[in-house]
Amino acid sequence: MNWQKKGLLFDWQKNGSSATISHGSIPFALQLEEDIYRIFFSSRNKKGQTIPYFIDAEAKDGELKPQGNISEPIMELGQLGTFDDSGIMPSSLLWHEGKIYMYYIGWNPQVTVSYRLSIGLSISEDLGKSFQRVSLGPVCDRSLEEPFFNTAPFVIFENNIWRMWYISCTAWQMIDNYPEPSYHVKYAESSDGVYWNRKGIVCIDYDEKAKAIGRPCVIRRGDEYEMFFSFRDIENYRTQRGNGYQIGKAVSQNGIDWVKKYNETGIELSNEGWDAKMMEYCHVFHHKGIDYMLYNGNDFGKDGFGYAIR
C-alpha cells in the first residue's frame, strides 16, 4: 500500500520560536491522550546546536492538526565536556511505569572528523515537559568493538526485555577532502533499559543501494516486525538527487534477522519541494486504523518535518 503525502506539519519558519533558526529534525510521536500525540524533535539555535522541543497534534481521520505552539526546550545541553554538551536530539520515546523514557542523541564536535555521537537516556515525570538525565555519561558509546560512534536508537519494551535497534558507525573516509561516515543498524538488549548487552548483531547491512543506513523505526504487526529506515550513498548525498537519503523497509519474524523490501516501501521523493532531494528519519505509528509516517526532507530536516498516511 502506498503512502499519501500530506505536506509539512512543522515548518520552523512559521511554527518555530525566536530561539530556533532552522530545522525540525528526527520527529517522534508519543501518545498522550486518545487522539493527542506529543511530537518530540530538535531545532538548531543561533550557535548551530540542536535543542529538543515538542509540539502537540491531534490525530483524527487521517489528519494531524497542530495544537498550540512549540514548547520551551525540554532539556538543557550537557555539562561542559560531556557527551551531549553541543547538541541533543530526541530519537525514541516510550512510556514505562508512568514515566516517559527518552533515548536521545548527544553531539560533540571533533577535530579530525566532523562529530562524535553517543546515546543518552533521560526520564520525564511531567508528560515530557522536562527531562532529567539518568547519568552524565551515555548509555551507549563507542567501545572496543565499536570504535567510531553509536546513535539514533529505537527502543521498545517487550516481554520484560528492553530491545534497541541503533546506528553503529563502521568507518570514516575522506571523500573530496571531507570526512564521511558509513553506518548500519545493530541490535542490543537490556534488563533495565540502562545497561545494554551489545553482541555485534547487524540487522540492516550495506548493499548496492545503501552505503549508509540511518535511524530505524520498528513496528510490531501480529507475528511480524516491520522496520523503516533511511539509506543513502556515500558520495554527493548532500547535493545530488538520488544519492541522498531515501526511506527503505525491511521485515522480520524475530526482530533480529531482517529481509529488505525496497520495492514495498510505498513512498518516494517528490518531484519538487521540501522532500524532493531527501527523505529520512521517519517515525511510523498506528492510530485508529491508519498508519502515520512523520519524516524529514531536504537537508536533514532544514524546513521542518511533514507526514504521510496509509
Side-chain angles (χ1 to χ4, degrees):
M1 183 183 297
N2 289 333
W3 293 86
Q4 176 187 352
K5 293 184 177 183
K6 306 292 282 188
L8 279 171
L9 176 63
F10 174 79
D11 182 338
W12 78 266
Q13 296 193 62
K14 296 178 180 178
N15 310 116
S17 69
S18 59
T20 60
I21 65 164
S22 70
H23 288 74
S25 297
I26 313 192
F28 188 101
L30 186 71
Q31 190 172 24
L32 285 189
E33 302 173 16
E34 182 179 359
D35 295 323
I36 302 298
Y37 285 78
R38 184 149 285 176
I39 302 175
F40 298 86
F41 61 97
S42 65
S43 282
R44 297 188 186 182
N45 63 17
K46 294 179 182 179
K47 295 181 180 180
Q49 300 164 320
T50 53
I51 306 295
Y53 299 88
F54 69 77
I55 62 168
D56 290 338
E58 180 185 38
K60 191 172 183 180
D61 300 326
E63 300 287 337
L64 284 174
K65 298 180 180 179
Q67 306 289 302
N69 298 318
I70 186 174
S71 71
E72 295 295 319
I74 59 175
M75 281 182 68
E76 295 183 353
L77 294 175
Q79 182 177 317
L80 182 65
T82 57
F83 76 101
D84 57 355
D85 69 356
S86 298
I88 294 171
M89 304 180 82
S91 184
S92 182
L93 296 96
L94 70 160
W95 288 100
H96 184 69
E97 297 181 345
K99 303 174 184 179
I100 299 174
Y101 281 56
M102 180 172 74
Y103 293 87
Y104 66 93
I105 304 163
W107 282 76
N108 285 136
Q110 300 291 282
V111 176
T112 56
V113 295
S114 309
Y115 51 79
R116 176 182 174 183
L117 305 175
S118 307
I119 297 171
L121 170 62
S122 59
I123 297 175
S124 174
E125 299 186 34
D126 59 3
L127 303 179
K129 296 177 183 177
S130 64
F131 284 83
Q132 289 71 48
R133 290 172 176 81
V134 169
S135 62
L136 290 178
V139 298
C140 190
D141 199 1
R142 62 188 184 185
S143 65
L144 286 172
E145 296 78 17
E146 296 177 294
F148 299 103
F149 66 72
N150 294 316
T151 185
F154 190 92
V155 178
I156 65 173
F157 184 68
E158 184 178 63
N159 298 325
N160 291 319
I161 297 174
W162 296 78
R163 310 185 72 186
M164 177 195 287
W165 296 265
Y166 67 99
I167 299 305
S168 176
C169 180
T170 60
W172 289 84
Q173 58 182 300
M174 298 300 294
I175 297 178
D176 295 330
N177 295 316
Y178 190 82
E180 297 286 7
S182 296
Y183 33 80
H184 56 191
V185 180
K186 285 185 176 178
Y187 174 79
E189 291 184 353
S190 172
S191 61
D192 60 7
V194 179
Y195 295 95
W196 291 88
N197 184 14
R198 291 179 280 166
K199 296 181 178 180
I201 298 171
V202 177
C203 290
I204 306 293
D205 207 356
Y206 308 113
D207 59 31
E208 289 301 314
K209 285 180 175 285
K211 303 300 190 299
I213 303 158
R215 200 227 191 161
C217 171
V218 177
I219 308 101
R220 182 71 181 266
R221 299 192 186 279
D223 295 331
E224 186 176 73
Y225 296 87
E226 185 178 45
M227 180 192 293
F228 291 91
F229 57 91
S230 310
F231 68 93
R232 63 168 174 79
D233 205 328
I234 194 69
E235 298 183 7
N236 301 316
Y237 65 90
R238 292 180 176 86
T239 58
Q240 187 170 322
R241 176 184 166 88
N243 285 21
Y245 272 124
Q246 299 179 63
I247 295 175
K249 176 184 171 181
V251 296
S252 172
Q253 297 297 313
N254 58 14
I256 298 174
D257 305 299
W258 295 83
V259 177
K260 295 172 189 167
K261 300 283 186 179
Y262 288 114
N263 61 340
E264 296 180 14
T265 302
I267 193 165
E268 298 179 347
L269 298 172
S270 295
N271 292 326
E272 58 183 8
W274 69 278
D275 61 352
K277 291 194 304 180
M278 291 184 184
M279 293 177 63
E280 67 282 307
Y281 310 148
C282 71
H283 178 224
V284 175
F285 63 97
H286 187 79
H287 182 75
K288 293 186 176 179
I290 297 174
D291 285 332
Y292 294 79
M293 177 190 285
L294 301 173
Y295 68 95
N296 286 131
N298 304 342
D299 302 312
F300 315 102
K302 185 175 182 180
D303 294 313
F305 59 83
Y307 75 104
I309 63 168
R310 67 176 183 181

Short mmCIF file of all heavy atoms in Angstrom, two decimals, residues 200-246:
data_model
loop_
_atom_site.label_atom_id
_atom_site.label_comp_id
_atom_site.label_asym_id
_atom_site.label_seq_id
_atom_site.Cartn_x
_atom_site.Cartn_y
_atom_site.Cartn_z
N GLY A 200 27.20 -7.23 18.82
CA GLY A 200 27.64 -7.01 17.45
C GLY A 200 26.69 -7.53 16.40
O GLY A 200 27.08 -7.73 15.24
N ILE A 201 25.41 -7.74 16.76
CA ILE A 201 24.43 -8.27 15.81
C ILE A 201 24.04 -7.18 14.81
O ILE A 201 23.51 -6.13 15.19
CB ILE A 201 23.18 -8.78 16.54
CG1 ILE A 201 23.56 -9.92 17.48
CG2 ILE A 201 22.11 -9.23 15.55
CD1 ILE A 201 22.44 -10.36 18.40
N VAL A 202 24.30 -7.42 13.53
CA VAL A 202 23.94 -6.48 12.47
C VAL A 202 22.58 -6.87 11.91
O VAL A 202 22.38 -7.99 11.45
CB VAL A 202 24.99 -6.47 11.36
CG1 VAL A 202 24.57 -5.53 10.23
CG2 VAL A 202 26.35 -6.07 11.91
N CYS A 203 21.63 -5.93 11.95
CA CYS A 203 20.28 -6.20 11.44
C CYS A 203 20.10 -5.75 10.00
O CYS A 203 19.54 -6.48 9.19
CB CYS A 203 19.25 -5.47 12.32
SG CYS A 203 19.10 -6.18 13.97
N ILE A 204 20.53 -4.54 9.69
CA ILE A 204 20.42 -3.99 8.33
C ILE A 204 21.81 -3.57 7.90
O ILE A 204 22.39 -2.64 8.45
CB ILE A 204 19.46 -2.79 8.28
CG1 ILE A 204 18.09 -3.13 8.88
CG2 ILE A 204 19.30 -2.30 6.84
CD1 ILE A 204 17.30 -4.14 8.10
N ASP A 205 22.35 -4.28 6.89
CA ASP A 205 23.72 -4.03 6.48
C ASP A 205 23.77 -3.33 5.13
O ASP A 205 22.75 -3.15 4.46
CB ASP A 205 24.48 -5.37 6.43
CG ASP A 205 25.97 -5.21 6.67
OD1 ASP A 205 26.44 -4.05 6.80
OD2 ASP A 205 26.68 -6.24 6.73
N TYR A 206 24.98 -3.00 4.72
CA TYR A 206 25.20 -2.30 3.46
C TYR A 206 24.83 -3.17 2.25
O TYR A 206 24.87 -4.40 2.31
CB TYR A 206 26.67 -1.90 3.33
CG TYR A 206 27.21 -1.14 4.52
CD1 TYR A 206 28.17 -1.70 5.35
CD2 TYR A 206 26.74 0.13 4.82
CE1 TYR A 206 28.67 -1.01 6.45
CE2 TYR A 206 27.24 0.84 5.91
CZ TYR A 206 28.20 0.25 6.72
OH TYR A 206 28.68 0.94 7.80
N ASP A 207 24.47 -2.50 1.16
CA ASP A 207 24.24 -3.17 -0.11
C ASP A 207 24.49 -2.15 -1.22
O ASP A 207 25.01 -1.07 -0.97
CB ASP A 207 22.84 -3.79 -0.18
CG ASP A 207 21.72 -2.77 0.00
OD1 ASP A 207 21.91 -1.59 -0.40
OD2 ASP A 207 20.66 -3.12 0.53
N GLU A 208 24.10 -2.48 -2.44
CA GLU A 208 24.36 -1.59 -3.57
C GLU A 208 23.59 -0.27 -3.44
O GLU A 208 24.03 0.77 -3.92
CB GLU A 208 24.00 -2.28 -4.88
CG GLU A 208 24.95 -3.39 -5.27
CD GLU A 208 26.37 -2.90 -5.42
OE1 GLU A 208 26.56 -1.86 -6.07
OE2 GLU A 208 27.29 -3.56 -4.88
N LYS A 209 22.42 -0.32 -2.83
CA LYS A 209 21.63 0.90 -2.64
C LYS A 209 22.09 1.71 -1.44
O LYS A 209 22.10 2.93 -1.47
CB LYS A 209 20.15 0.55 -2.45
CG LYS A 209 19.40 0.12 -3.70
CD LYS A 209 17.96 -0.20 -3.35
CE LYS A 209 17.13 -0.51 -4.58
NZ LYS A 209 16.80 0.71 -5.34
N ALA A 210 22.43 1.00 -0.37
CA ALA A 210 22.65 1.64 0.93
C ALA A 210 24.11 1.59 1.32
O ALA A 210 24.62 0.53 1.71
CB ALA A 210 21.79 0.96 1.98
N LYS A 211 24.79 2.72 1.25
CA LYS A 211 26.17 2.82 1.70
C LYS A 211 26.24 3.37 3.13
O LYS A 211 27.28 3.30 3.78
CB LYS A 211 26.96 3.73 0.76
CG LYS A 211 26.95 3.29 -0.70
CD LYS A 211 27.53 1.90 -0.87
CE LYS A 211 27.73 1.55 -2.33
NZ LYS A 211 26.50 1.53 -3.11
N ALA A 212 25.12 3.95 3.58
CA ALA A 212 24.96 4.37 4.97
C ALA A 212 23.48 4.24 5.30
O ALA A 212 22.62 4.57 4.49
CB ALA A 212 25.43 5.81 5.17
N ILE A 213 23.20 3.73 6.49
CA ILE A 213 21.82 3.40 6.86
C ILE A 213 21.49 4.12 8.16
O ILE A 213 22.19 3.96 9.16
CB ILE A 213 21.65 1.87 7.03
CG1 ILE A 213 22.05 1.17 5.72
CG2 ILE A 213 20.22 1.52 7.40
CD1 ILE A 213 22.44 -0.26 5.88
N GLY A 214 20.42 4.92 8.14
CA GLY A 214 20.11 5.78 9.28
C GLY A 214 18.84 5.43 10.01
O GLY A 214 18.02 4.65 9.54
N ARG A 215 18.66 6.01 11.15
CA ARG A 215 17.57 5.91 12.12
C ARG A 215 16.48 4.88 11.82
O ARG A 215 15.58 5.10 11.02
CB ARG A 215 16.93 7.27 12.29
CG ARG A 215 16.14 7.38 13.58
CD ARG A 215 14.78 7.98 13.36
NE ARG A 215 14.15 8.31 14.63
CZ ARG A 215 13.14 9.16 14.76
NH1 ARG A 215 12.64 9.76 13.72
NH2 ARG A 215 12.60 9.38 15.94
N PRO A 216 16.51 3.74 12.48
CA PRO A 216 15.47 2.73 12.28
C PRO A 216 14.19 3.07 13.05
O PRO A 216 14.22 3.77 14.05
CB PRO A 216 16.11 1.46 12.85
CG PRO A 216 17.01 1.97 13.93
CD PRO A 216 17.53 3.30 13.43
N CYS A 217 13.08 2.55 12.56
CA CYS A 217 11.79 2.62 13.25
C CYS A 217 11.14 1.25 13.14
O CYS A 217 10.92 0.76 12.02
CB CYS A 217 10.90 3.69 12.63
SG CYS A 217 9.21 3.69 13.25
N VAL A 218 10.83 0.62 14.27
CA VAL A 218 10.35 -0.77 14.28
C VAL A 218 8.92 -0.82 14.79
O VAL A 218 8.60 -0.24 15.83
CB VAL A 218 11.25 -1.65 15.15
CG1 VAL A 218 10.70 -3.07 15.22
CG2 VAL A 218 12.68 -1.67 14.59
N ILE A 219 8.05 -1.52 14.04
CA ILE A 219 6.64 -1.67 14.40
C ILE A 219 6.31 -3.15 14.44
O ILE A 219 6.70 -3.91 13.54
CB ILE A 219 5.72 -0.97 13.37
CG1 ILE A 219 6.15 0.49 13.17
CG2 ILE A 219 4.27 -1.02 13.82
CD1 ILE A 219 6.94 0.70 11.92
N ARG A 220 5.59 -3.56 15.48
CA ARG A 220 5.14 -4.95 15.58
C ARG A 220 3.78 -5.06 14.92
O ARG A 220 2.84 -4.34 15.26
CB ARG A 220 5.06 -5.37 17.05
CG ARG A 220 4.64 -6.83 17.28
CD ARG A 220 5.76 -7.78 16.88
NE ARG A 220 5.39 -9.17 17.07
CZ ARG A 220 5.66 -9.88 18.17
NH1 ARG A 220 6.29 -9.30 19.18
NH2 ARG A 220 5.32 -11.14 18.26
N ARG A 221 3.65 -6.00 13.96
CA ARG A 221 2.38 -6.24 13.29
C ARG A 221 2.06 -7.73 13.38
O ARG A 221 2.54 -8.52 12.57
CB ARG A 221 2.42 -5.78 11.84
CG ARG A 221 2.69 -4.29 11.67
CD ARG A 221 2.44 -3.84 10.25
NE ARG A 221 2.81 -2.45 10.06
CZ ARG A 221 2.06 -1.41 10.40
NH1 ARG A 221 0.89 -1.61 10.96
NH2 ARG A 221 2.47 -0.17 10.18
N GLY A 222 1.29 -8.10 14.39
CA GLY A 222 0.98 -9.52 14.60
C GLY A 222 2.23 -10.31 14.89
O GLY A 222 2.95 -10.02 15.86
N ASP A 223 2.53 -11.29 14.05
CA ASP A 223 3.71 -12.13 14.24
C ASP A 223 4.94 -11.61 13.51
O ASP A 223 5.97 -12.28 13.48
CB ASP A 223 3.41 -13.56 13.76
CG ASP A 223 2.35 -14.23 14.61
OD1 ASP A 223 2.24 -13.89 15.80
OD2 ASP A 223 1.61 -15.09 14.07
N GLU A 224 4.84 -10.42 12.93
CA GLU A 224 5.93 -9.89 12.11
C GLU A 224 6.33 -8.50 12.60
O GLU A 224 5.51 -7.74 13.12
CB GLU A 224 5.50 -9.83 10.64
CG GLU A 224 6.60 -9.43 9.68
CD GLU A 224 6.14 -9.48 8.23
OE1 GLU A 224 5.37 -8.60 7.82
OE2 GLU A 224 6.55 -10.41 7.51
N TYR A 225 7.61 -8.21 12.42
CA TYR A 225 8.13 -6.87 12.68
C TYR A 225 8.37 -6.17 11.34
O TYR A 225 8.81 -6.79 10.37
CB TYR A 225 9.44 -6.91 13.44
CG TYR A 225 9.34 -7.49 14.84
CD1 TYR A 225 9.45 -8.87 15.03
CD2 TYR A 225 9.15 -6.68 15.95
CE1 TYR A 225 9.37 -9.41 16.31
CE2 TYR A 225 9.08 -7.21 17.23
CZ TYR A 225 9.18 -8.57 17.39
OH TYR A 225 9.10 -9.11 18.66
N GLU A 226 8.09 -4.90 11.32
CA GLU A 226 8.33 -4.07 10.14
C GLU A 226 9.26 -2.94 10.54
O GLU A 226 9.05 -2.30 11.57
CB GLU A 226 6.99 -3.52 9.62
CG GLU A 226 7.06 -2.75 8.33
CD GLU A 226 5.69 -2.29 7.88
OE1 GLU A 226 4.92 -1.77 8.72
OE2 GLU A 226 5.36 -2.45 6.69
N MET A 227 10.30 -2.73 9.76
CA MET A 227 11.24 -1.64 10.02
C MET A 227 11.29 -0.69 8.84
O MET A 227 11.39 -1.11 7.69
CB MET A 227 12.65 -2.17 10.28
CG MET A 227 13.67 -1.05 10.56
SD MET A 227 15.41 -1.59 10.53
CE MET A 227 15.48 -2.65 11.97
N PHE A 228 11.21 0.59 9.16
CA PHE A 228 11.50 1.63 8.18
C PHE A 228 12.83 2.26 8.57
O PHE A 228 13.11 2.48 9.76
CB PHE A 228 10.39 2.68 8.13
CG PHE A 228 9.10 2.16 7.56
CD1 PHE A 228 8.14 1.60 8.39
CD2 PHE A 228 8.86 2.20 6.19
CE1 PHE A 228 6.95 1.10 7.87
CE2 PHE A 228 7.69 1.70 5.66
CZ PHE A 228 6.73 1.15 6.50
N PHE A 229 13.66 2.55 7.58
CA PHE A 229 14.99 3.11 7.85
C PHE A 229 15.35 4.08 6.73
O PHE A 229 14.69 4.13 5.68
CB PHE A 229 16.04 1.99 7.95
CG PHE A 229 16.13 1.10 6.73
CD1 PHE A 229 16.99 1.40 5.70
CD2 PHE A 229 15.32 -0.03 6.62
CE1 PHE A 229 17.08 0.59 4.57
CE2 PHE A 229 15.40 -0.86 5.50
CZ PHE A 229 16.27 -0.55 4.47
N SER A 230 16.39 4.86 6.95
CA SER A 230 16.90 5.76 5.93
C SER A 230 18.14 5.14 5.30
O SER A 230 18.90 4.45 5.97
CB SER A 230 17.27 7.12 6.55
OG SER A 230 16.23 7.63 7.34
N PHE A 231 18.36 5.41 4.03
CA PHE A 231 19.57 4.93 3.37
C PHE A 231 20.05 5.95 2.36
O PHE A 231 19.25 6.71 1.80
CB PHE A 231 19.34 3.56 2.72
CG PHE A 231 18.41 3.57 1.53
CD1 PHE A 231 18.90 3.70 0.24
CD2 PHE A 231 17.03 3.46 1.70
CE1 PHE A 231 18.06 3.72 -0.86
CE2 PHE A 231 16.18 3.47 0.61
CZ PHE A 231 16.68 3.60 -0.67
N ARG A 232 21.35 5.98 2.15
CA ARG A 232 21.94 6.94 1.20
C ARG A 232 23.23 6.38 0.62
O ARG A 232 23.76 5.37 1.07
CB ARG A 232 22.22 8.26 1.90
CG ARG A 232 23.24 8.18 3.03
CD ARG A 232 23.68 9.56 3.47
NE ARG A 232 24.55 9.54 4.63
CZ ARG A 232 25.85 9.27 4.63
NH1 ARG A 232 26.45 8.93 3.49
NH2 ARG A 232 26.56 9.31 5.74
N ASP A 233 23.74 7.11 -0.37
CA ASP A 233 25.05 6.82 -0.94
C ASP A 233 26.12 7.45 -0.05
O ASP A 233 25.80 8.21 0.87
CB ASP A 233 25.13 7.38 -2.37
CG ASP A 233 26.14 6.65 -3.24
OD1 ASP A 233 27.15 6.18 -2.68
OD2 ASP A 233 25.93 6.55 -4.45
N ILE A 234 27.36 7.20 -0.35
CA ILE A 234 28.45 7.78 0.43
C ILE A 234 28.97 9.06 -0.23
O ILE A 234 29.59 9.90 0.41
CB ILE A 234 29.60 6.76 0.61
CG1 ILE A 234 30.58 7.21 1.68
CG2 ILE A 234 30.31 6.51 -0.70
CD1 ILE A 234 30.03 7.19 3.07
N GLU A 235 28.71 9.24 -1.53
CA GLU A 235 29.22 10.40 -2.26
C GLU A 235 28.07 11.29 -2.73
O GLU A 235 27.01 10.82 -3.11
CB GLU A 235 30.04 9.96 -3.48
CG GLU A 235 31.27 9.13 -3.12
CD GLU A 235 32.11 8.78 -4.34
OE1 GLU A 235 31.79 9.29 -5.44
OE2 GLU A 235 33.06 7.99 -4.20
N ASN A 236 28.31 12.59 -2.69
CA ASN A 236 27.39 13.61 -3.21
C ASN A 236 25.97 13.48 -2.65
O ASN A 236 24.99 13.86 -3.30
CB ASN A 236 27.33 13.54 -4.74
CG ASN A 236 28.67 13.74 -5.39
OD1 ASN A 236 29.43 14.64 -4.99
ND2 ASN A 236 29.00 12.93 -6.38
N TYR A 237 25.84 12.94 -1.46
CA TYR A 237 24.49 12.72 -0.93
C TYR A 237 23.84 14.00 -0.40
O TYR A 237 22.62 14.04 -0.20
CB TYR A 237 24.51 11.65 0.16
CG TYR A 237 25.28 12.01 1.41
CD1 TYR A 237 24.66 12.65 2.47
CD2 TYR A 237 26.62 11.67 1.54
CE1 TYR A 237 25.36 12.96 3.61
CE2 TYR A 237 27.32 11.98 2.68
CZ TYR A 237 26.69 12.62 3.72
OH TYR A 237 27.40 12.93 4.86
N ARG A 238 24.62 15.04 -0.20
CA ARG A 238 24.04 16.30 0.26
C ARG A 238 23.44 17.12 -0.88
O ARG A 238 22.57 17.95 -0.66
CB ARG A 238 25.10 17.16 0.96
CG ARG A 238 25.58 16.58 2.29
CD ARG A 238 26.64 17.48 2.91
NE ARG A 238 27.05 16.99 4.23
CZ ARG A 238 28.00 16.09 4.41
NH1 ARG A 238 28.64 15.58 3.36
NH2 ARG A 238 28.32 15.68 5.63
N THR A 239 23.91 16.87 -2.09
CA THR A 239 23.53 17.74 -3.21
C THR A 239 22.85 17.02 -4.36
O THR A 239 22.09 17.64 -5.11
CB THR A 239 24.77 18.45 -3.75
OG1 THR A 239 25.75 17.47 -4.15
CG2 THR A 239 25.39 19.37 -2.69
N GLN A 240 23.12 15.76 -4.58
CA GLN A 240 22.64 15.08 -5.78
C GLN A 240 21.40 14.24 -5.49
O GLN A 240 21.43 13.33 -4.67
CB GLN A 240 23.76 14.19 -6.35
CG GLN A 240 23.40 13.56 -7.69
CD GLN A 240 24.61 12.90 -8.33
OE1 GLN A 240 25.72 13.40 -8.25
NE2 GLN A 240 24.38 11.76 -8.98
N ARG A 241 20.31 14.56 -6.16
CA ARG A 241 19.08 13.79 -6.02
C ARG A 241 19.33 12.33 -6.39
O ARG A 241 19.96 12.03 -7.40
CB ARG A 241 18.00 14.39 -6.93
CG ARG A 241 16.69 13.60 -6.95
CD ARG A 241 15.73 14.23 -7.95
NE ARG A 241 14.62 13.34 -8.25
CZ ARG A 241 13.49 13.28 -7.56
NH1 ARG A 241 13.31 14.10 -6.54
NH2 ARG A 241 12.53 12.44 -7.88
N GLY A 242 18.83 11.43 -5.58
CA GLY A 242 19.06 10.01 -5.80
C GLY A 242 20.21 9.46 -4.99
O GLY A 242 20.26 8.25 -4.72
N ASN A 243 21.16 10.32 -4.61
CA ASN A 243 22.27 9.90 -3.75
C ASN A 243 21.99 10.19 -2.28
O ASN A 243 22.62 9.62 -1.40
CB ASN A 243 23.57 10.59 -4.16
CG ASN A 243 24.16 10.01 -5.43
OD1 ASN A 243 23.45 9.39 -6.20
ND2 ASN A 243 25.44 10.21 -5.65
N GLY A 244 21.07 11.13 -2.04
CA GLY A 244 20.74 11.50 -0.68
C GLY A 244 19.80 10.49 -0.04
O GLY A 244 19.42 9.47 -0.63
N TYR A 245 19.41 10.78 1.19
CA TYR A 245 18.59 9.85 1.95
C TYR A 245 17.25 9.57 1.27
O TYR A 245 16.58 10.48 0.77
CB TYR A 245 18.30 10.42 3.33
CG TYR A 245 19.34 10.08 4.36
CD1 TYR A 245 19.98 11.07 5.09
CD2 TYR A 245 19.65 8.75 4.65
CE1 TYR A 245 20.92 10.76 6.06
CE2 TYR A 245 20.59 8.43 5.63
CZ TYR A 245 21.21 9.45 6.33
OH TYR A 245 22.13 9.13 7.30
N GLN A 246 16.86 8.29 1.30
CA GLN A 246 15.53 7.83 0.95
C GLN A 246 15.07 6.87 2.03
O GLN A 246 15.86 6.49 2.91
CB GLN A 246 15.54 7.16 -0.42
CG GLN A 246 15.99 8.09 -1.55
CD GLN A 246 16.01 7.38 -2.90
OE1 GLN A 246 14.97 6.94 -3.40
NE2 GLN A 246 17.18 7.27 -3.50
#
